[in-house]
Amino acid sequence: MAEFKRPSGRGMTEIRKMSAKVGVIPNADGSAMFSFGDTIAIAAVYGPRLLHPQHMQDPSTAILRVNYDLLSFSVYERKKPGPSRRSQEISKVTEWALLPVLDLKEFPNTVIDVQVYILQADAGTRTAGINAASLALAHAGIPMKNLVTSISVGKQDKNIVVDLDKDEEDYEEGEGATDFPIAKVANSDEYTLLQLDGKIEPSEVKKALTIADEACEKVYEVQKRALKEVVEQ
Ligand code: CDP
């Protein structure tokens, strides 16, 4: 059988070129950009600020509110502006991916708004968004036990690959494609997001997670470098 080659020409565990920058939106309390190849996410944090209406306030903690939006011209086929089931789902899972590292008890009755915008999409937007949002929260000075790092692993036919682009997500030969986005607390075994679009054998999950863990270490290096740059400035 011929050896499998990714359509992108990348190695099985090769991540697209990553780039991160902190402090991209001066008027936000914290902000960051994170990209995987042609997928570009920016995140802006506003708060903590008093939550209105008052009956939604929680006197024991701040509330984290994430809004993910894939902009109309970020994709080849113009996306109708405004919220959708998909954007609501991604906003919610991004919130859940970030909450475990945050200590929000210091800010009762407040809300922390995180706006995640996808300027350009080539798959992996939720993972890029989580990486950007995690950096933006750190930049805003919200107490965090660590950064959250995120990447997608997946399958093309029988092959486990990392960081699928859109062509790879649309792969239709053999068993087709599987997308398995994960997020975890950096340098730990604590996963904060595990989603699955497609199929994976239970026996393959461990290998996929090992590949994801190694990839997350590389994501973390890029995040740390971006934070260090802004601290040095
Ligand atoms: O972006 P992510 O992989 O986290 O989520 P997805 O729902 O699996 O979307 C995969 C990709 O499909 C996106 O990154 C976009 O490139 C593309 N997409 C699109 O072209 N138009 C949409 N309305 C939604 C997604």
Side-chain angles (χ1 to χ4, degrees), residues 39 68 70 74-77 79 86 90 121-127 166 169 179 181 197:
T39 290
Y68 161 103
L70 182 91
S74 66
V75 282
Y76 290 107
E77 206 164 303
K79 181 215 152 238
R86 177 178 176 277
I90 299 181
D122 185 23
T125 64
R126 77 195 64 204
T127 54
K166 180 75 175 123
E169 272 197 15
D179 185 28
D197 183 6

mmCIF file of all heavy atoms in Angstrom, residues 39 68 70 74-77 79 86 90 121-127 166 169 179 181 197, ligand 1:
data_model
loop_
_atom_site.group_PDB
_atom_site.id
_atom_site.type_symbol
_atom_site.label_atom_id
_atom_site.label_comp_id
_atom_site.label_asym_id
_atom_site.label_seq_id
_atom_site.Cartn_x
_atom_site.Cartn_y
_atom_site.Cartn_z
ATOM 1 N N THR A 39 -5.758 30.305 9.242
ATOM 2 C CA THR A 39 -6.830 30.553 10.223
ATOM 3 C C THR A 39 -6.343 31.607 11.218
ATOM 4 O O THR A 39 -5.337 31.396 11.901
ATOM 5 C CB THR A 39 -7.210 29.245 10.941
ATOM 6 O OG1 THR A 39 -7.867 28.401 10.001
ATOM 7 C CG2 THR A 39 -8.133 29.497 12.122
ATOM 8 N N TYR A 68 -18.232 34.049 20.228
ATOM 9 C CA TYR A 68 -17.404 33.667 19.071
ATOM 10 C C TYR A 68 -18.144 34.069 17.805
ATOM 11 O O TYR A 68 -19.342 33.793 17.685
ATOM 12 C CB TYR A 68 -17.190 32.148 19.109
ATOM 13 C CG TYR A 68 -16.759 31.508 17.792
ATOM 14 C CD1 TYR A 68 -15.429 31.132 17.580
ATOM 15 C CD2 TYR A 68 -17.678 31.261 16.777
ATOM 16 C CE1 TYR A 68 -15.042 30.536 16.383
ATOM 17 C CE2 TYR A 68 -17.292 30.666 15.580
ATOM 18 C CZ TYR A 68 -15.982 30.312 15.396
ATOM 19 O OH TYR A 68 -15.604 29.718 14.210
ATOM 20 N N LEU A 70 -17.644 34.048 13.462
ATOM 21 C CA LEU A 70 -16.901 33.821 12.216
ATOM 22 C C LEU A 70 -17.368 34.922 11.257
ATOM 23 O O LEU A 70 -18.540 34.950 10.874
ATOM 24 C CB LEU A 70 -17.291 32.432 11.694
ATOM 25 C CG LEU A 70 -16.652 31.905 10.435
ATOM 26 C CD1 LEU A 70 -15.386 31.119 10.789
ATOM 27 C CD2 LEU A 70 -17.613 30.964 9.704
ATOM 28 N N SER A 74 -14.692 35.785 6.132
ATOM 29 C CA SER A 74 -13.561 34.964 6.585
ATOM 30 C C SER A 74 -13.528 33.625 5.864
ATOM 31 O O SER A 74 -12.579 32.881 5.972
ATOM 32 C CB SER A 74 -13.667 34.722 8.090
ATOM 33 O OG SER A 74 -14.818 33.930 8.353
ATOM 34 N N VAL A 75 -14.628 33.311 5.148
ATOM 35 C CA VAL A 75 -14.761 32.009 4.487
ATOM 36 C C VAL A 75 -15.027 32.220 2.999
ATOM 37 O O VAL A 75 -15.415 33.313 2.597
ATOM 38 C CB VAL A 75 -15.900 31.173 5.129
ATOM 39 C CG1 VAL A 75 -15.459 30.557 6.430
ATOM 40 C CG2 VAL A 75 -17.151 31.995 5.331
ATOM 41 N N TYR A 76 -14.830 31.175 2.190
ATOM 42 C CA TYR A 76 -14.971 31.334 0.730
ATOM 43 C C TYR A 76 -16.414 31.648 0.349
ATOM 44 O O TYR A 76 -16.685 32.483 -0.494
ATOM 45 C CB TYR A 76 -14.477 30.072 0.020
ATOM 46 C CG TYR A 76 -12.984 29.940 0.146
ATOM 47 C CD1 TYR A 76 -12.413 28.993 0.984
ATOM 48 C CD2 TYR A 76 -12.136 30.813 -0.542
ATOM 49 C CE1 TYR A 76 -11.041 28.907 1.121
ATOM 50 C CE2 TYR A 76 -10.767 30.736 -0.405
ATOM 51 C CZ TYR A 76 -10.221 29.777 0.420
ATOM 52 O OH TYR A 76 -8.872 29.703 0.571
ATOM 53 N N GLU A 77 -17.358 30.945 0.983
ATOM 54 C CA GLU A 77 -18.758 31.206 0.684
ATOM 55 C C GLU A 77 -19.293 32.124 1.779
ATOM 56 O O GLU A 77 -19.425 31.685 2.935
ATOM 57 C CB GLU A 77 -19.509 29.885 0.705
ATOM 58 C CG GLU A 77 -20.734 29.914 -0.151
ATOM 59 C CD GLU A 77 -21.218 28.499 -0.407
ATOM 60 O OE1 GLU A 77 -20.451 27.676 -0.924
ATOM 61 O OE2 GLU A 77 -22.356 28.233 -0.025
ATOM 62 N N LYS A 79 -20.561 34.028 4.739
ATOM 63 C CA LYS A 79 -21.433 33.537 5.812
ATOM 64 C C LYS A 79 -22.403 34.650 6.190
ATOM 65 O O LYS A 79 -21.991 35.805 6.343
ATOM 66 C CB LYS A 79 -20.556 33.137 7.003
ATOM 67 C CG LYS A 79 -21.327 32.590 8.152
ATOM 68 C CD LYS A 79 -20.682 33.011 9.471
ATOM 69 C CE LYS A 79 -21.676 33.095 10.577
ATOM 70 N NZ LYS A 79 -21.752 34.404 11.210
ATOM 71 N N ARG A 86 -24.057 27.204 15.237
ATOM 72 C CA ARG A 86 -22.639 26.871 15.312
ATOM 73 C C ARG A 86 -21.893 27.877 16.201
ATOM 74 O O ARG A 86 -21.099 27.498 17.052
ATOM 75 C CB ARG A 86 -22.061 26.872 13.891
ATOM 76 C CG ARG A 86 -20.577 26.599 13.836
ATOM 77 C CD ARG A 86 -20.062 26.562 12.395
ATOM 78 N NE ARG A 86 -18.634 26.383 12.387
ATOM 79 C CZ ARG A 86 -17.758 27.372 12.546
ATOM 80 N NH1 ARG A 86 -18.168 28.607 12.693
ATOM 81 N NH2 ARG A 86 -16.464 27.102 12.546
ATOM 82 N N ILE A 90 -19.896 27.108 19.696
ATOM 83 C CA ILE A 90 -18.458 27.368 19.882
ATOM 84 C C ILE A 90 -18.237 28.377 21.004
ATOM 85 O O ILE A 90 -17.292 28.255 21.783
ATOM 86 C CB ILE A 90 -17.793 27.778 18.548
ATOM 87 C CG1 ILE A 90 -17.940 26.619 17.544
ATOM 88 C CG2 ILE A 90 -16.323 28.123 18.756
ATOM 89 C CD1 ILE A 90 -17.323 26.859 16.178
ATOM 90 N N ALA A 121 -10.741 32.002 7.923
ATOM 91 C CA ALA A 121 -10.984 30.641 8.418
ATOM 92 C C ALA A 121 -10.499 29.589 7.433
ATOM 93 O O ALA A 121 -10.825 29.636 6.245
ATOM 94 C CB ALA A 121 -12.480 30.446 8.664
ATOM 95 N N ASP A 122 -9.718 28.655 7.949
ATOM 96 C CA ASP A 122 -9.282 27.504 7.148
ATOM 97 C C ASP A 122 -9.245 26.289 8.073
ATOM 98 O O ASP A 122 -8.242 25.590 8.169
ATOM 99 C CB ASP A 122 -7.892 27.794 6.552
ATOM 100 C CG ASP A 122 -7.438 26.693 5.605
ATOM 101 O OD1 ASP A 122 -8.299 25.965 5.077
ATOM 102 O OD2 ASP A 122 -6.223 26.553 5.403
ATOM 103 N N ALA A 123 -10.336 26.095 8.812
ATOM 104 C CA ALA A 123 -10.514 25.043 9.825
ATOM 105 C C ALA A 123 -9.668 25.327 11.068
ATOM 106 O O ALA A 123 -8.695 26.074 11.027
ATOM 107 C CB ALA A 123 -10.231 23.669 9.279
ATOM 108 N N GLY A 124 -10.109 24.740 12.179
ATOM 109 C CA GLY A 124 -9.398 24.951 13.437
ATOM 110 C C GLY A 124 -9.678 26.316 14.043
ATOM 111 O O GLY A 124 -8.866 26.844 14.816
ATOM 112 N N THR A 125 -10.844 26.888 13.746
ATOM 113 C CA THR A 125 -11.090 28.241 14.267
ATOM 114 C C THR A 125 -11.379 28.220 15.762
ATOM 115 O O THR A 125 -11.029 29.152 16.474
ATOM 116 C CB THR A 125 -12.247 28.939 13.533
ATOM 117 O OG1 THR A 125 -13.456 28.229 13.768
ATOM 118 C CG2 THR A 125 -11.995 29.059 12.053
ATOM 119 N N ARG A 126 -12.065 27.144 16.250
ATOM 120 C CA ARG A 126 -12.358 27.145 17.701
ATOM 121 C C ARG A 126 -11.062 27.004 18.498
ATOM 122 O O ARG A 126 -10.899 27.603 19.551
ATOM 123 C CB ARG A 126 -13.392 26.078 18.065
ATOM 124 C CG ARG A 126 -12.907 24.648 18.141
ATOM 125 C CD ARG A 126 -14.036 23.677 18.142
ATOM 126 N NE ARG A 126 -14.778 23.744 16.885
ATOM 127 C CZ ARG A 126 -16.042 23.386 16.732
ATOM 128 N NH1 ARG A 126 -16.722 22.904 17.743
ATOM 129 N NH2 ARG A 126 -16.622 23.478 15.562
ATOM 130 N N THR A 127 -10.109 26.211 17.959
ATOM 131 C CA THR A 127 -8.859 25.998 18.697
ATOM 132 C C THR A 127 -8.014 27.274 18.671
ATOM 133 O O THR A 127 -7.470 27.680 19.694
ATOM 134 C CB THR A 127 -8.100 24.785 18.122
ATOM 135 O OG1 THR A 127 -7.920 24.966 16.718
ATOM 136 C CG2 THR A 127 -8.844 23.494 18.362
ATOM 137 N N LYS A 166 -8.878 23.069 6.077
ATOM 138 C CA LYS A 166 -10.230 22.833 5.539
ATOM 139 C C LYS A 166 -10.224 21.716 4.484
ATOM 140 O O LYS A 166 -11.100 20.854 4.482
ATOM 141 C CB LYS A 166 -10.760 24.158 4.962
ATOM 142 C CG LYS A 166 -12.149 24.067 4.372
ATOM 143 C CD LYS A 166 -13.222 23.987 5.442
ATOM 144 C CE LYS A 166 -14.611 24.018 4.859
ATOM 145 N NZ LYS A 166 -15.427 22.878 5.225
ATOM 146 N N GLU A 169 -10.110 18.537 6.331
ATOM 147 C CA GLU A 169 -11.392 18.219 6.988
ATOM 148 C C GLU A 169 -12.415 17.696 5.979
ATOM 149 O O GLU A 169 -13.324 16.964 6.337
ATOM 150 C CB GLU A 169 -11.963 19.473 7.668
ATOM 151 C CG GLU A 169 -11.465 19.650 9.086
ATOM 152 C CD GLU A 169 -12.335 20.642 9.876
ATOM 153 O OE1 GLU A 169 -13.455 20.993 9.461
ATOM 154 O OE2 GLU A 169 -11.859 21.059 10.922
ATOM 155 N N ASP A 179 -12.500 15.060 12.823
ATOM 156 C CA ASP A 179 -11.918 16.231 13.487
ATOM 157 C C ASP A 179 -12.120 16.049 14.989
ATOM 158 O O ASP A 179 -13.235 15.792 15.443
ATOM 159 C CB ASP A 179 -12.645 17.491 12.978
ATOM 160 C CG ASP A 179 -12.030 18.761 13.517
ATOM 161 O OD1 ASP A 179 -10.825 18.756 13.817
ATOM 162 O OD2 ASP A 179 -12.754 19.774 13.636
ATOM 163 N N PRO A 181 -11.107 18.151 18.060
ATOM 164 C CA PRO A 181 -10.487 19.298 18.726
ATOM 165 C C PRO A 181 -10.379 19.096 20.238
ATOM 166 O O PRO A 181 -11.325 18.596 20.855
ATOM 167 C CB PRO A 181 -11.424 20.466 18.394
ATOM 168 C CG PRO A 181 -12.683 19.881 17.888
ATOM 169 C CD PRO A 181 -12.481 18.431 17.604
ATOM 170 N N ASP A 197 -15.934 15.158 15.678
ATOM 171 C CA ASP A 197 -16.780 15.233 14.493
ATOM 172 C C ASP A 197 -16.243 14.170 13.529
ATOM 173 O O ASP A 197 -15.193 14.353 12.915
ATOM 174 C CB ASP A 197 -16.661 16.637 13.892
ATOM 175 C CG ASP A 197 -17.574 16.813 12.698
ATOM 176 O OD1 ASP A 197 -18.370 15.897 12.422
ATOM 177 O OD2 ASP A 197 -17.467 17.857 12.027
HETATM 178 O O1 CDP B 1 -13.383 25.996 12.566
HETATM 179 P P1 CDP B 1 -13.557 24.726 13.322
HETATM 180 O O2 CDP B 1 -12.723 23.597 12.719
HETATM 181 O O3 CDP B 1 -13.309 24.886 14.784
HETATM 182 O O4 CDP B 1 -15.112 24.350 13.228
HETATM 183 P P2 CDP B 1 -15.967 23.637 12.084
HETATM 184 O O5 CDP B 1 -17.393 23.943 12.396
HETATM 185 O O6 CDP B 1 -15.550 22.210 11.973
HETATM 186 O O7 CDP B 1 -15.616 24.405 10.759
HETATM 187 C C1 CDP B 1 -14.557 23.984 9.938
HETATM 188 C C2 CDP B 1 -14.281 25.007 8.890
HETATM 189 O O8 CDP B 1 -15.350 25.081 7.967
HETATM 190 C C3 CDP B 1 -14.131 26.438 9.358
HETATM 191 O O9 CDP B 1 -12.884 26.692 9.976
HETATM 192 C C4 CDP B 1 -14.265 27.179 8.056
HETATM 193 O O10 CDP B 1 -13.049 27.107 7.324
HETATM 194 C C5 CDP B 1 -15.339 26.350 7.354
HETATM 195 N N1 CDP B 1 -16.667 26.983 7.481
HETATM 196 C C6 CDP B 1 -17.160 27.680 6.385
HETATM 197 O O11 CDP B 1 -16.508 27.730 5.340
HETATM 198 N N2 CDP B 1 -18.376 28.335 6.479
HETATM 199 C C7 CDP B 1 -19.111 28.295 7.613
HETATM 200 N N3 CDP B 1 -20.292 28.923 7.674
HETATM 201 C C8 CDP B 1 -18.623 27.568 8.730
HETATM 202 C C9 CDP B 1 -17.393 26.937 8.638
#
